Amino acid sequence: MIKRQLLLLFGLFAFLGNAQQKERQQLDTVVLKPLRLIQKSVGQSVLNIEQDQIRKYRPQLTDVLSFETPIFFKENGLGMVSSPSFRGTTAQQTAVLWNGINVNSQFLGQVDFNTISPYNYSSIDVRSGGGSSQFGSGAIGGTVALNNSLDFKKGHQFQLLSSYGSFETYNNAIDYKFSDEKFSFHLGANYFDSANDYDFPDQKGFNDNGQMHHLSVTANAAYRFKPQHKLSFYSEIYDGERHFSILEETQSRTKYQDQNIKSQLLWESSWRKLKLKSRAAYLNEKYTYFPELDNDESSTYGRAETIINKTSLGYKVKKNIYLEAEIDYQYTWADGIEIRDASRNTTEAQLFLKHHLTPNWVYQVHLNQNFVDDFDAPFLYNFGTNYSFSSQHEVRLNFSKNYRIPTFNDLYWPGSGNLSLKPETSLQGEISYIFKLKSFEFGLTYYQIELEDMIRWLPTQGELWEPVNTDKVSSKGIEANASYQFNWDGNKLKAKMLYAYTKSENKETGYQLIYVPYHKVTAGFDYDYKNWHADVSAMYNGKVYTQSNNKSKTRVDDYILVNASAQYQFGNNQMYGLGARVKNATDRSYQNMIYKPMPGINFEFFLTLNL
């Protein structure tokens, strides 16, 4: 099935490539960004991770965000199921966007960050704080936006990355781009394969039955009919398989297959003060679980298909006032062994206003009303403002109401689904101070989230578990970040650091939520001199509790990880590159989820080719 879809995909773009027109006139370079997250994030901070930074890490999104953002991940062993905790919230309360479309699972309400290959994206934007008024259900703790940018007038560009590392790990990625004045095309592919049989540091045994592989292919194109009319197409296919690692020979050997297809068509037009955007998207997620490796008949499966239409019309009221209205419609259908013919219709009406009161003072208002089958969705809002006292000092303020509706598993799981569940709702606010001086930047943020009707699966009778609206959670914390760049005599140095303090408590018991560290620190250094490049990345995760009563005996201890790499570029225009990377350089014995040891020191050697 996947192979046939790949052939159809490549055939489509071969046709588009033949349809490009000859050069007619000189036009300015235009970059199409399907989601301008930072322009609609007044009062909030957005971390931008470029492709060069992305490729410093293994080809799973977990590694990138662990070292580059304040998000904490619990990972069931290297490359296994990975769940985020953003500002003390749960995995279901982090929204993941693919070129502007929410791609959280319809079954679990979250994304497994080890099933996303980040190598095919131009950049990743990470915004802390609420965003449900803009992106719908689940955007409570924060939003992760995966972006593909399409350039014009760049000609041919080709990049190859090939690497081999410890535990028989192979990784190969290609990235090809072509563009002229009217047509832009991008093809990216990443294949990853690993035996993943690492020894446990300071312990007996090894990561048994942990092998995994995945293939991710993305194909994107854009055609500019006129400077004010553009048609863009984005598509991605992911096909992966993981064997779930075991600690003892007596445990069952299992595996899990993921297949995800995403496609999107975007039309953009502008007439003087009006701007129209209309997009149609199709998402297909499928999983197959094998509780017995040698018995395919025992497998279980589930699949969900989603159709999305989003249309917005923007109007520039005055030079300093922009108004936009948007209507979104989404239909989802799901089927599987556990869930039969479940469906959901969702309609959203949004209104956005951005007003520059003065050159140094801007605010935005985002309003949203959802209409969801079988639920009374709350009225959502987001207000943000930025005020610059000078070029060096800026203050930001944001306040919002957000929500999350129950997933298909919450509602329809056989024997446990609860049709009486209410949506989770939250009120939250934050205030930030930003200081800039030449190449130095510092930011400090205080936030607070008050969450009600949190959905948790709790034991009922016997061994049955059932989702219920139970907890009221208060999450508050501080985030600080600093960066500095320095150039001298051909030397270039970039340094950055991030600190997050998170206190996320059950308001009834006063205990910290499980798998939420009080402290997290990341730091990174990049150094360039002529053809040489070197970098060091470090991360500290504080202790986490694994039980709701915060027992110290079952907590996961804190740890520090250090990665480092060096690379030399040679050939005309630094066409070729050879490098090596060491991960967990201090050979630290650690785990971020109880009873799931992670690997000690390991190595990777890589080759890059740029044409």
Side-chain angles (χ1 to χ4, degrees), residues 147-199:
N147 309 314
N148 290 112
S149 296
L150 292 167
D151 303 334
F152 289 93
K153 293 182 63 178
K154 295 291 187 179
H156 296 274
Q157 298 171 289
F158 177 80
Q159 185 177 62
L160 167 70
L161 171 66
S162 184
S163 68
Y164 174 76
S166 302
F167 327 127
E168 297 183 44
T169 300
Y170 302 86
N171 182 40
N172 295 283
I174 61 169
D175 194 82
Y176 171 72
K177 297 177 182 178
F178 169 78
S179 62
D180 56 20
E181 287 78 6
K182 288 182 173 291
F183 180 74
S184 181
F185 171 72
H186 169 236
L187 174 67
N190 176 220
Y191 180 74
F192 174 80
D193 186 284
S194 178
N196 201 29
D197 54 353
Y198 56 88
D199 293 328

Short mmCIF file of all heavy atoms in Angstrom, two decimals, residues 147-199:
data_model
loop_
_atom_site.label_atom_id
_atom_site.label_comp_id
_atom_site.label_asym_id
_atom_site.label_seq_id
_atom_site.Cartn_x
_atom_site.Cartn_y
_atom_site.Cartn_z
N ASN A 147 7.37 23.02 9.85
CA ASN A 147 7.20 23.88 8.69
C ASN A 147 8.01 23.42 7.49
O ASN A 147 9.17 23.03 7.63
CB ASN A 147 7.63 25.32 9.03
CG ASN A 147 6.97 25.83 10.30
OD1 ASN A 147 5.78 25.67 10.49
ND2 ASN A 147 7.76 26.45 11.17
N ASN A 148 7.40 23.51 6.31
CA ASN A 148 8.10 23.35 5.04
C ASN A 148 8.00 24.66 4.27
O ASN A 148 6.90 25.09 3.92
CB ASN A 148 7.48 22.23 4.20
CG ASN A 148 7.73 20.85 4.77
OD1 ASN A 148 6.82 20.18 5.23
ND2 ASN A 148 8.99 20.42 4.75
N SER A 149 9.13 25.31 4.03
CA SER A 149 9.15 26.56 3.30
C SER A 149 9.51 26.29 1.84
O SER A 149 10.38 25.48 1.55
CB SER A 149 10.18 27.53 3.90
OG SER A 149 9.82 27.88 5.21
N LEU A 150 8.85 27.00 0.93
CA LEU A 150 9.09 26.86 -0.50
C LEU A 150 9.60 28.17 -1.06
O LEU A 150 8.91 29.19 -1.02
CB LEU A 150 7.80 26.43 -1.20
CG LEU A 150 7.32 25.01 -0.86
CD1 LEU A 150 5.89 24.79 -1.34
CD2 LEU A 150 8.25 23.98 -1.48
N ASP A 151 10.84 28.15 -1.58
CA ASP A 151 11.48 29.34 -2.12
C ASP A 151 11.31 29.41 -3.63
O ASP A 151 11.08 28.40 -4.29
CB ASP A 151 12.98 29.34 -1.82
CG ASP A 151 13.27 29.25 -0.33
OD1 ASP A 151 12.40 29.67 0.45
OD2 ASP A 151 14.35 28.76 0.03
N PHE A 152 11.44 30.61 -4.19
CA PHE A 152 11.46 30.81 -5.63
C PHE A 152 12.82 31.37 -6.07
O PHE A 152 13.53 31.99 -5.29
CB PHE A 152 10.35 31.76 -6.07
CG PHE A 152 8.98 31.15 -5.96
CD1 PHE A 152 8.22 31.32 -4.81
CD2 PHE A 152 8.45 30.41 -6.99
CE1 PHE A 152 6.96 30.77 -4.71
CE2 PHE A 152 7.19 29.84 -6.90
CZ PHE A 152 6.43 30.01 -5.76
N LYS A 153 13.17 31.10 -7.32
CA LYS A 153 14.39 31.64 -7.93
C LYS A 153 15.66 31.16 -7.23
O LYS A 153 16.60 31.90 -7.06
CB LYS A 153 14.35 33.16 -7.98
CG LYS A 153 13.29 33.74 -8.90
CD LYS A 153 13.37 35.26 -8.93
CE LYS A 153 14.71 35.72 -9.49
NZ LYS A 153 14.78 37.20 -9.56
N LYS A 154 15.69 29.90 -6.82
CA LYS A 154 16.87 29.35 -6.16
C LYS A 154 17.58 28.30 -7.00
O LYS A 154 18.66 27.84 -6.63
CB LYS A 154 16.47 28.73 -4.81
CG LYS A 154 15.95 29.72 -3.79
CD LYS A 154 17.05 30.63 -3.29
CE LYS A 154 16.55 31.50 -2.15
NZ LYS A 154 17.61 32.40 -1.64
N GLY A 155 17.00 27.89 -8.13
CA GLY A 155 17.62 26.87 -8.96
C GLY A 155 17.60 25.50 -8.30
O GLY A 155 16.70 25.16 -7.53
N HIS A 156 18.65 24.68 -8.60
CA HIS A 156 18.75 23.33 -8.06
C HIS A 156 19.57 23.34 -6.77
O HIS A 156 20.63 23.96 -6.70
CB HIS A 156 19.42 22.40 -9.07
CG HIS A 156 18.63 22.20 -10.32
ND1 HIS A 156 17.64 21.25 -10.44
CD2 HIS A 156 18.68 22.86 -11.51
CE1 HIS A 156 17.10 21.32 -11.65
NE2 HIS A 156 17.72 22.27 -12.32
N GLN A 157 19.10 22.63 -5.77
CA GLN A 157 19.82 22.45 -4.51
C GLN A 157 19.66 20.99 -4.08
O GLN A 157 18.54 20.46 -4.09
CB GLN A 157 19.28 23.37 -3.41
CG GLN A 157 19.42 24.85 -3.71
CD GLN A 157 18.68 25.70 -2.69
OE1 GLN A 157 17.45 25.74 -2.65
NE2 GLN A 157 19.43 26.38 -1.86
N PHE A 158 20.77 20.38 -3.71
CA PHE A 158 20.71 18.97 -3.31
C PHE A 158 21.61 18.76 -2.10
O PHE A 158 22.74 19.27 -2.03
CB PHE A 158 21.20 18.06 -4.46
CG PHE A 158 21.23 16.61 -4.08
CD1 PHE A 158 20.07 15.84 -4.08
CD2 PHE A 158 22.42 16.00 -3.69
CE1 PHE A 158 20.10 14.50 -3.72
CE2 PHE A 158 22.46 14.66 -3.34
CZ PHE A 158 21.28 13.90 -3.35
N GLN A 159 21.10 18.01 -1.13
CA GLN A 159 21.88 17.68 0.06
C GLN A 159 21.67 16.21 0.41
O GLN A 159 20.55 15.70 0.38
CB GLN A 159 21.49 18.56 1.24
CG GLN A 159 22.38 18.33 2.47
CD GLN A 159 22.04 19.27 3.62
OE1 GLN A 159 20.95 19.23 4.15
NE2 GLN A 159 22.98 20.10 3.99
N LEU A 160 22.79 15.55 0.72
CA LEU A 160 22.76 14.16 1.15
C LEU A 160 23.41 14.05 2.51
O LEU A 160 24.48 14.61 2.74
CB LEU A 160 23.50 13.27 0.15
CG LEU A 160 23.82 11.83 0.61
CD1 LEU A 160 22.54 11.01 0.70
CD2 LEU A 160 24.82 11.17 -0.34
N LEU A 161 22.78 13.32 3.41
CA LEU A 161 23.34 13.02 4.73
C LEU A 161 23.32 11.52 4.92
O LEU A 161 22.28 10.87 4.77
CB LEU A 161 22.53 13.70 5.83
CG LEU A 161 22.88 13.29 7.27
CD1 LEU A 161 24.29 13.75 7.63
CD2 LEU A 161 21.88 13.87 8.26
N SER A 162 24.48 10.94 5.24
CA SER A 162 24.56 9.51 5.50
C SER A 162 25.40 9.29 6.74
O SER A 162 26.47 9.90 6.90
CB SER A 162 25.20 8.79 4.30
OG SER A 162 25.20 7.39 4.50
N SER A 163 24.93 8.42 7.64
CA SER A 163 25.66 8.20 8.88
C SER A 163 25.55 6.75 9.33
O SER A 163 24.60 6.03 8.98
CB SER A 163 25.13 9.13 9.99
OG SER A 163 23.82 8.77 10.37
N TYR A 164 26.54 6.35 10.13
CA TYR A 164 26.53 5.04 10.78
C TYR A 164 26.99 5.22 12.21
O TYR A 164 27.95 5.97 12.48
CB TYR A 164 27.46 4.06 10.07
CG TYR A 164 27.58 2.74 10.80
CD1 TYR A 164 26.56 1.81 10.74
CD2 TYR A 164 28.70 2.45 11.59
CE1 TYR A 164 26.64 0.60 11.44
CE2 TYR A 164 28.79 1.26 12.29
CZ TYR A 164 27.76 0.34 12.21
OH TYR A 164 27.83 -0.84 12.90
N GLY A 165 26.29 4.55 13.14
CA GLY A 165 26.63 4.74 14.54
C GLY A 165 26.50 3.48 15.36
O GLY A 165 26.24 2.38 14.85
N SER A 166 26.67 3.65 16.65
CA SER A 166 26.59 2.53 17.59
C SER A 166 25.25 1.81 17.48
O SER A 166 24.25 2.38 17.02
CB SER A 166 26.78 3.05 19.02
OG SER A 166 28.00 3.72 19.17
N PHE A 167 25.23 0.58 17.91
CA PHE A 167 24.05 -0.29 17.92
C PHE A 167 23.54 -0.57 16.50
O PHE A 167 22.34 -0.70 16.27
CB PHE A 167 22.92 0.31 18.78
CG PHE A 167 23.37 1.10 19.96
CD1 PHE A 167 22.93 2.41 20.16
CD2 PHE A 167 24.27 0.57 20.87
CE1 PHE A 167 23.36 3.15 21.25
CE2 PHE A 167 24.70 1.30 21.96
CZ PHE A 167 24.26 2.59 22.15
N GLU A 168 24.51 -0.62 15.55
CA GLU A 168 24.18 -0.89 14.14
C GLU A 168 23.10 0.05 13.64
O GLU A 168 22.08 -0.35 13.07
CB GLU A 168 23.73 -2.34 13.96
CG GLU A 168 24.80 -3.38 14.31
CD GLU A 168 24.33 -4.79 14.05
OE1 GLU A 168 23.72 -5.02 12.99
OE2 GLU A 168 24.55 -5.64 14.92
N THR A 169 23.36 1.33 13.81
CA THR A 169 22.38 2.36 13.45
C THR A 169 22.77 3.02 12.13
O THR A 169 23.87 3.59 12.01
CB THR A 169 22.28 3.42 14.56
OG1 THR A 169 21.87 2.78 15.79
CG2 THR A 169 21.28 4.50 14.20
N TYR A 170 21.88 2.97 11.17
CA TYR A 170 22.08 3.58 9.86
C TYR A 170 21.05 4.69 9.68
O TYR A 170 19.88 4.53 10.02
CB TYR A 170 21.92 2.56 8.74
CG TYR A 170 22.85 1.39 8.81
CD1 TYR A 170 22.53 0.26 9.59
CD2 TYR A 170 24.06 1.37 8.12
CE1 TYR A 170 23.38 -0.83 9.66
CE2 TYR A 170 24.92 0.28 8.19
CZ TYR A 170 24.57 -0.81 8.95
OH TYR A 170 25.41 -1.89 9.02
N ASN A 171 21.50 5.81 9.11
CA ASN A 171 20.59 6.91 8.84
C ASN A 171 20.98 7.56 7.52
O ASN A 171 22.14 7.94 7.32
CB ASN A 171 20.63 7.95 9.97
CG ASN A 171 19.65 9.07 9.74
OD1 ASN A 171 18.53 8.84 9.29
ND2 ASN A 171 20.07 10.29 10.01
N ASN A 172 20.03 7.67 6.60
CA ASN A 172 20.28 8.29 5.30
C ASN A 172 19.15 9.27 5.00
O ASN A 172 17.96 8.93 5.16
CB ASN A 172 20.35 7.25 4.20
CG ASN A 172 21.54 6.32 4.35
OD1 ASN A 172 22.67 6.67 4.05
ND2 ASN A 172 21.28 5.10 4.86
N ALA A 173 19.52 10.46 4.57
CA ALA A 173 18.52 11.48 4.25
C ALA A 173 18.94 12.23 3.00
O ALA A 173 20.12 12.53 2.80
CB ALA A 173 18.36 12.46 5.41
N ILE A 174 17.97 12.52 2.14
CA ILE A 174 18.22 13.36 0.97
C ILE A 174 17.24 14.53 1.00
O ILE A 174 16.13 14.43 1.55
CB ILE A 174 18.05 12.58 -0.35
CG1 ILE A 174 16.62 12.03 -0.49
CG2 ILE A 174 19.06 11.46 -0.45
CD1 ILE A 174 16.33 11.49 -1.88
N ASP A 175 17.67 15.62 0.41
CA ASP A 175 16.85 16.82 0.37
C ASP A 175 17.12 17.51 -0.97
O ASP A 175 18.23 17.99 -1.21
CB ASP A 175 17.19 17.75 1.54
CG ASP A 175 16.14 18.83 1.73
OD1 ASP A 175 15.12 18.53 2.36
OD2 ASP A 175 16.35 19.96 1.24
N TYR A 176 16.12 17.51 -1.85
CA TYR A 176 16.29 18.12 -3.17
C TYR A 176 15.27 19.24 -3.36
O TYR A 176 14.08 19.08 -3.04
CB TYR A 176 16.10 17.08 -4.28
CG TYR A 176 16.06 17.69 -5.66
CD1 TYR A 176 17.21 18.21 -6.25
CD2 TYR A 176 14.86 17.79 -6.36
CE1 TYR A 176 17.17 18.79 -7.51
CE2 TYR A 176 14.81 18.37 -7.62
CZ TYR A 176 15.97 18.88 -8.18
OH TYR A 176 15.93 19.46 -9.42
N LYS A 177 15.76 20.37 -3.90
CA LYS A 177 14.88 21.51 -4.16
C LYS A 177 15.17 22.07 -5.55
O LYS A 177 16.31 22.11 -5.98
CB LYS A 177 15.10 22.62 -3.12
CG LYS A 177 14.76 22.22 -1.70
CD LYS A 177 15.05 23.34 -0.72
CE LYS A 177 14.76 22.93 0.71
NZ LYS A 177 15.10 24.01 1.68
N PHE A 178 14.12 22.47 -6.21
CA PHE A 178 14.26 23.20 -7.47
C PHE A 178 13.23 24.32 -7.51
O PHE A 178 12.06 24.11 -7.12
CB PHE A 178 14.05 22.30 -8.69
CG PHE A 178 13.94 23.09 -9.96
CD1 PHE A 178 15.08 23.60 -10.57
CD2 PHE A 178 12.70 23.38 -10.52
CE1 PHE A 178 14.99 24.37 -11.72
CE2 PHE A 178 12.60 24.13 -11.68
CZ PHE A 178 13.75 24.63 -12.27
N SER A 179 13.63 25.49 -7.98
CA SER A 179 12.68 26.58 -8.11
C SER A 179 13.13 27.56 -9.18
O SER A 179 14.33 27.77 -9.39
CB SER A 179 12.50 27.31 -6.77
OG SER A 179 13.72 27.89 -6.35
N ASP A 180 12.16 28.13 -9.89
CA ASP A 180 12.42 29.25 -10.79
C ASP A 180 11.48 30.38 -10.38
O ASP A 180 11.05 30.44 -9.22
CB ASP A 180 12.27 28.83 -12.25
CG ASP A 180 10.91 28.23 -12.56
OD1 ASP A 180 9.96 28.47 -11.78
OD2 ASP A 180 10.78 27.53 -13.58
N GLU A 181 11.11 31.25 -11.33
CA GLU A 181 10.29 32.41 -10.97
C GLU A 181 8.87 32.03 -10.55
O GLU A 181 8.25 32.71 -9.74
CB GLU A 181 10.22 33.39 -12.14
CG GLU A 181 11.50 34.15 -12.39
CD GLU A 181 12.54 33.29 -13.12
OE1 GLU A 181 12.19 32.15 -13.53
OE2 GLU A 181 13.68 33.74 -13.27
N LYS A 182 8.34 30.93 -11.13
CA LYS A 182 6.95 30.60 -10.88
C LYS A 182 6.74 29.27 -10.17
O LYS A 182 5.69 29.07 -9.54
CB LYS A 182 6.18 30.57 -12.21
CG LYS A 182 5.94 31.94 -12.83
CD LYS A 182 5.13 31.81 -14.10
CE LYS A 182 4.74 33.18 -14.64
NZ LYS A 182 3.76 33.85 -13.78
N PHE A 183 7.69 28.38 -10.27
CA PHE A 183 7.50 27.02 -9.76
C PHE A 183 8.54 26.68 -8.71
O PHE A 183 9.71 27.04 -8.84
CB PHE A 183 7.59 26.02 -10.92
CG PHE A 183 7.41 24.60 -10.50
CD1 PHE A 183 6.17 24.09 -10.15
CD2 PHE A 183 8.51 23.73 -10.46
CE1 PHE A 183 6.02 22.76 -9.77
CE2 PHE A 183 8.36 22.41 -10.09
CZ PHE A 183 7.11 21.93 -9.74
N SER A 184 8.10 25.99 -7.65
CA SER A 184 9.01 25.55 -6.58
C SER A 184 8.65 24.12 -6.21
O SER A 184 7.47 23.77 -6.08
CB SER A 184 8.89 26.46 -5.36
OG SER A 184 9.79 26.05 -4.34
N PHE A 185 9.69 23.30 -6.06
CA PHE A 185 9.49 21.88 -5.75
C PHE A 185 10.49 21.44 -4.69
O PHE A 185 11.64 21.85 -4.70
CB PHE A 185 9.69 21.05 -7.03
CG PHE A 185 9.71 19.56 -6.77
CD1 PHE A 185 8.56 18.88 -6.44
CD2 PHE A 185 10.91 18.85 -6.86
CE1 PHE A 185 8.58 17.51 -6.21
CE2 PHE A 185 10.94 17.49 -6.63
CZ PHE A 185 9.77 16.81 -6.30
N HIS A 186 10.02 20.60 -3.77
CA HIS A 186 10.88 20.07 -2.71
C HIS A 186 10.57 18.61 -2.50
O HIS A 186 9.41 18.20 -2.36
CB HIS A 186 10.66 20.84 -1.39
CG HIS A 186 11.30 20.17 -0.22
ND1 HIS A 186 10.60 19.82 0.92
CD2 HIS A 186 12.58 19.78 0.00
CE1 HIS A 186 11.42 19.24 1.78
NE2 HIS A 186 12.63 19.20 1.25
N LEU A 187 11.62 17.78 -2.48
CA LEU A 187 11.49 16.36 -2.19
C LEU A 187 12.47 16.01 -1.08
O LEU A 187 13.67 16.30 -1.18
CB LEU A 187 11.79 15.52 -3.42
CG LEU A 187 11.84 13.99 -3.21
CD1 LEU A 187 10.45 13.47 -2.85
CD2 LEU A 187 12.38 13.29 -4.44
N GLY A 188 11.99 15.41 -0.02
CA GLY A 188 12.84 14.98 1.08
C GLY A 188 12.52 13.56 1.48
O GLY A 188 11.36 13.13 1.43
N ALA A 189 13.54 12.80 1.84
CA ALA A 189 13.34 11.42 2.27
C ALA A 189 14.34 11.08 3.36
O ALA A 189 15.49 11.54 3.33
CB ALA A 189 13.47 10.45 1.10
N ASN A 190 13.91 10.29 4.32
CA ASN A 190 14.78 9.87 5.41
C ASN A 190 14.50 8.40 5.74
O ASN A 190 13.35 8.03 5.99
CB ASN A 190 14.54 10.75 6.65
CG ASN A 190 15.33 10.31 7.87
OD1 ASN A 190 14.83 10.33 8.97
ND2 ASN A 190 16.57 9.88 7.69
N TYR A 191 15.55 7.58 5.70
CA TYR A 191 15.42 6.17 6.10
C TYR A 191 16.35 5.92 7.28
O TYR A 191 17.54 6.24 7.24
CB TYR A 191 15.77 5.22 4.96
CG TYR A 191 15.63 3.76 5.39
CD1 TYR A 191 14.38 3.20 5.55
CD2 TYR A 191 16.76 3.00 5.69
CE1 TYR A 191 14.24 1.88 5.97
CE2 TYR A 191 16.63 1.68 6.10
CZ TYR A 191 15.36 1.13 6.25
OH TYR A 191 15.23 -0.16 6.69
N PHE A 192 15.79 5.33 8.34
CA PHE A 192 16.51 5.09 9.58
C PHE A 192 16.31 3.64 9.99
O PHE A 192 15.20 3.11 9.94
CB PHE A 192 15.98 6.04 10.66
CG PHE A 192 16.55 5.80 12.03
CD1 PHE A 192 17.81 6.28 12.37
CD2 PHE A 192 15.82 5.11 12.98
CE1 PHE A 192 18.33 6.06 13.63
CE2 PHE A 192 16.33 4.89 14.25
CZ PHE A 192 17.59 5.37 14.57
N ASP A 193 17.42 2.99 10.40
CA ASP A 193 17.35 1.59 10.80
C ASP A 193 18.34 1.35 11.92
O ASP A 193 19.49 1.79 11.85
CB ASP A 193 17.67 0.67 9.61
CG ASP A 193 17.45 -0.80 9.95
OD1 ASP A 193 18.30 -1.37 10.65
OD2 ASP A 193 16.45 -1.36 9.50
N SER A 194 17.91 0.68 12.99
CA SER A 194 18.81 0.43 14.11
C SER A 194 18.46 -0.88 14.79
O SER A 194 17.28 -1.20 15.02
CB SER A 194 18.71 1.57 15.14
OG SER A 194 19.54 1.31 16.27
N ALA A 195 19.50 -1.66 15.13
CA ALA A 195 19.31 -2.85 15.97
C ALA A 195 18.96 -2.43 17.38
O ALA A 195 18.28 -3.16 18.12
CB ALA A 195 20.57 -3.71 15.98
N ASN A 196 19.46 -1.26 17.81
CA ASN A 196 19.07 -0.65 19.09
C ASN A 196 19.30 -1.59 20.27
O ASN A 196 18.53 -1.62 21.23
CB ASN A 196 17.60 -0.22 19.03
CG ASN A 196 17.25 0.83 20.06
OD1 ASN A 196 18.09 1.64 20.46
ND2 ASN A 196 16.01 0.85 20.48
N ASP A 197 20.38 -2.36 20.20
CA ASP A 197 20.65 -3.39 21.21
C ASP A 197 21.73 -2.94 22.20
O ASP A 197 22.66 -3.68 22.50
CB ASP A 197 21.06 -4.69 20.55
CG ASP A 197 22.23 -4.51 19.59
OD1 ASP A 197 22.63 -3.36 19.34
OD2 ASP A 197 22.73 -5.53 19.08
N TYR A 198 21.57 -1.74 22.73
CA TYR A 198 22.59 -1.18 23.62
C TYR A 198 22.62 -1.89 24.98
O TYR A 198 21.59 -2.38 25.47
CB TYR A 198 22.35 0.32 23.82
CG TYR A 198 20.99 0.70 24.34
CD1 TYR A 198 20.73 0.77 25.71
CD2 TYR A 198 19.96 1.04 23.46
CE1 TYR A 198 19.48 1.15 26.19
CE2 TYR A 198 18.71 1.41 23.92
CZ TYR A 198 18.48 1.46 25.29
OH TYR A 198 17.23 1.82 25.76
N ASP A 199 23.83 -1.94 25.56
CA ASP A 199 23.98 -2.46 26.92
C ASP A 199 23.49 -1.43 27.92
O ASP A 199 23.62 -0.22 27.72
CB ASP A 199 25.44 -2.80 27.20
CG ASP A 199 25.94 -3.97 26.36
OD1 ASP A 199 25.13 -4.86 26.07
OD2 ASP A 199 27.13 -3.97 25.99
#
